[in-house]
Amino acid sequence: MTFQKTPLAIFLLATLANPGWAEENHDHAHNENNEAEQHAQQTAPDNSGDHDEHAHGKEVGSAASHSEEAALELTAEQQKMLNLQVITLQPDADATRTLTVPAEIISNQYRTWVVPVRIDSQVQSRSATLGQHMEKGEAIATLFSPAMAQLQSDLQVAADGWRRVKNLGRRTVGNQRYLDAQSQYQSLRARAKGYGLSNSAIADIEAGKNEKGVYTLTAPDDGLVLEDAFQQGQWLTAGSALVTLVDESELWAEAALPPSPGLQISTGTPARVIVGDTSVDGKVIQSGHRLNPVTRTLAVRVAIPNAGHLLHPGMFADVALALAAPENALTVPEEALTRSADGDWQLFVEEEPGHYKPVEIQLNGQLANRRIVTGMEPGTRVVTRGAFFLASEMAKSGFDIHDH
């Protein structure tokens, strides 16, 4: 084979004849590869170290947030965004607290009348009905009694005898006869009044204008018929209640207070009685000193006006008693109170501007729109508006406010 001396052939022959040149080129390529690998290795450890340090930083930050019990930190811009408000706790020497307890509306026992049957009688007709408002002297029922017939006859005779003796005079009839006639008349008249007869009914008996044995019982004062446990034709024994009348212009709310050492409700204490959407102001008129043996509660009675007869005996109510607060009480608005993770009441204390820490407290009463708290020192700065947001953020694993 004839070798043609072409430029390409001459180049190949020179390369094969000088192996050092090829090795130099190979070493140069190998060195370039080694430098690339070393650069990659140097870069890889640095990146790995940064990653580990970043991950470790996250763990530390998370642990710190838990160890500090989420002591929150806000910037001035974040505080403004939340409209955060802080107050300084100061003692309130004139504070009054509100104690709200369940109660029942009952009749005013001092304005309640039980109208009984004084002698065995039969009901002939009734004039009063349940729930009726009656005026003094208005007829309740008409009854018949044999004992009343005997009394009416005796009283009529005694009245006639007394009129004759009185007209003749003491000197004419003698002192003894005069006194006997007077005493008999007055005794029978007093018995008639004791049987429940009015002055006008007694005058009719003395004048002989009545039907023997028949009499009418009337209302002793203005009031509402609260009970009427009788029927027409019924025989009632002496002492049986015919009706119960109550003046509902003023009622009582009987409250049940839980036993508490040192709790004293004095007469005249202001109180508000609440029934549904209706509230009436009253005052305490009686405070018990002995617990109810069944309910183990202390009874307190509140007198309340009942204009328009809006309230009725038997209604359930709440009584809010205005009591003097403990001396130098510390108070906070309702919006400042939140619940901790375990359910206790807490306040957010401003340790320094922008730093807020939850502190558990106890409630010791309620004012109109504030709460009395214990467990805080005067001068402590606490969050009011925005406390709910801080509590909700604390419930999360972290605290991050994003500006929008």
Side-chain angles (χ1 to χ4, degrees):
M1 178 181 297
T2 303
F3 182 78
Q4 300 284 338
K5 292 184 179 182
T6 64
L8 178 59
I10 296 172
F11 173 77
L12 291 176
L13 290 173
T15 301
L16 294 175
N18 191 7
W21 180 86
E23 183 178 357
E24 182 181 353
N25 288 335
H26 175 75
D27 292 339
H28 179 72
H30 180 71
N31 290 337
E32 289 180 351
N33 291 336
N34 288 342
E35 289 177 2
E37 290 176 1
Q38 289 177 3
H39 179 72
Q41 289 176 359
Q42 291 176 358
T43 305
D46 291 342
N47 291 339
S48 176
D50 291 344
H51 177 75
D52 292 342
E53 183 179 353
H54 181 67
H56 179 68
K58 285 187 176 180
E59 294 175 0
V60 172
S62 177
S65 64
H66 288 291
S67 63
E68 293 177 3
E69 293 295 335
L72 309 178
E73 181 177 355
L74 301 180
T75 65
E77 184 179 356
Q78 292 168 339
Q79 296 175 50
K80 183 178 180 181
M81 182 184 68
L82 295 177
N83 194 20
L84 212 66
Q85 293 185 1
V86 181
I87 63 170
T88 301
L89 297 182
Q90 296 294 342
D92 189 350
D94 300 325
T96 57
R97 63 190 178 99
T98 301
L99 177 63
T100 303
V101 292
E104 180 182 358
I105 305 298
I106 63 174
S107 302
N108 183 339
Q109 300 299 313
Y110 300 156
R111 300 288 296 170
T112 301
W113 298 267
V114 175
V115 182
V117 174
R118 318 293 177 84
I119 52 178
D120 294 350
S121 304
Q122 183 184 31
V123 180
Q124 286 195 335
S125 62
R126 63 184 303 159
S127 303
T129 58
L130 188 65
Q132 177 182 348
H133 288 273
M134 307 196 70
E135 296 181 358
K136 183 178 180 178
E138 191 173 355
I140 295 174
T142 300
L143 305 98
F144 170 81
S145 171
M148 179 60 74
Q150 184 63 49
L151 173 65
Q152 291 167 341
S153 297
D154 293 342
L155 178 57
Q156 184 177 359
V157 172
D160 289 341
W162 167 242
R163 279 194 295 268
R164 287 194 302 268
V165 169
K166 186 170 61 172
N167 290 334
L168 292 174
R170 189 187 299 265
R171 290 183 179 182
T172 302
V173 300
N175 187 58
Q176 187 61 44
R177 184 181 175 187
Y178 184 92
L179 293 177
D180 288 345
Q182 184 185 43
S183 175
Q184 186 178 13
Y185 167 72
Q186 291 178 344
S187 176
L188 290 171
R189 183 180 175 86
R191 187 187 301 178
K193 290 184 71 69
Y195 286 170
L197 300 183
S198 63
N199 290 331
S200 60
I202 293 175
D204 290 341
I205 293 174
E206 294 175 359
K209 298 180 180 179
N210 66 297
E211 182 181 356
K212 291 298 184 286
V214 177
Y215 68 103
T216 300
L217 292 181
T218 59
D221 208 334
D222 297 347
L224 173 77
V225 179
L226 191 63
E227 297 177 1
D228 61 342
F230 72 96
Q231 298 176 347
Q232 295 183 139
Q234 181 179 359
W235 275 94
L236 302 173
T237 58
S240 299
L242 193 65
V243 296
T244 300
L245 298 177
V246 60
D247 180 5
E248 284 197 326
S249 62
E250 183 181 85
L251 297 176
W252 288 352
E254 189 164 80
L257 271 67
S260 178
L263 178 62
Q264 296 182 351
I265 311 296
S266 57
T267 301
T269 298
R272 172 164 292 185
V273 178
I274 304 169
V275 180
D277 296 331
T278 302
S279 63
V280 182
D281 292 330
K283 64 180 180 179
V284 174
I285 59 171
Q286 290 179 349
S287 180
H289 295 278
R290 183 178 181 180
L291 295 180
N292 185 303
V294 178
T295 62
R296 313 304 300 173
T297 56
L298 192 67
V300 172
R301 286 177 176 172
V302 178
I304 51 174
N306 189 30
H309 299 281
L310 298 177
L311 306 179
H312 302 284
M315 287 182 170
F316 291 108
D318 288 324
V319 171
L321 300 168
L323 307 178
E327 186 176 359
N328 295 328
L330 299 177
T331 65
V332 297
E334 294 276 357
E335 62 180 346
L337 295 168
T338 59
R339 292 280 191 177
S340 63
D342 54 4
D344 293 327
W345 289 108
Q346 66 180 8
L347 294 174
F348 280 91
V349 175
E350 184 185 59
E351 296 180 313
E352 59 182 78
H355 293 261
Y356 308 98
K357 181 178 180 180
V359 177
E360 292 186 354
I361 50 90
Q362 292 183 348
L363 301 183
N364 193 29
Q366 181 175 359
L367 308 183
N369 57 351
R370 300 174 69 86
R371 291 291 192 98
I372 301 174
V373 299
T374 56
M376 286 283 180
E377 294 295 331
T380 304
R381 291 180 58 79
V382 298
V383 177
T384 56
R385 183 175 300 172
F388 176 78
F389 179 83
L390 297 182
S392 63
E393 289 297 329
M394 180 165 295
K396 302 177 182 179
S397 59
F399 181 76
D400 184 20
I401 299 180
H402 300 281
D403 296 334
H404 297 286

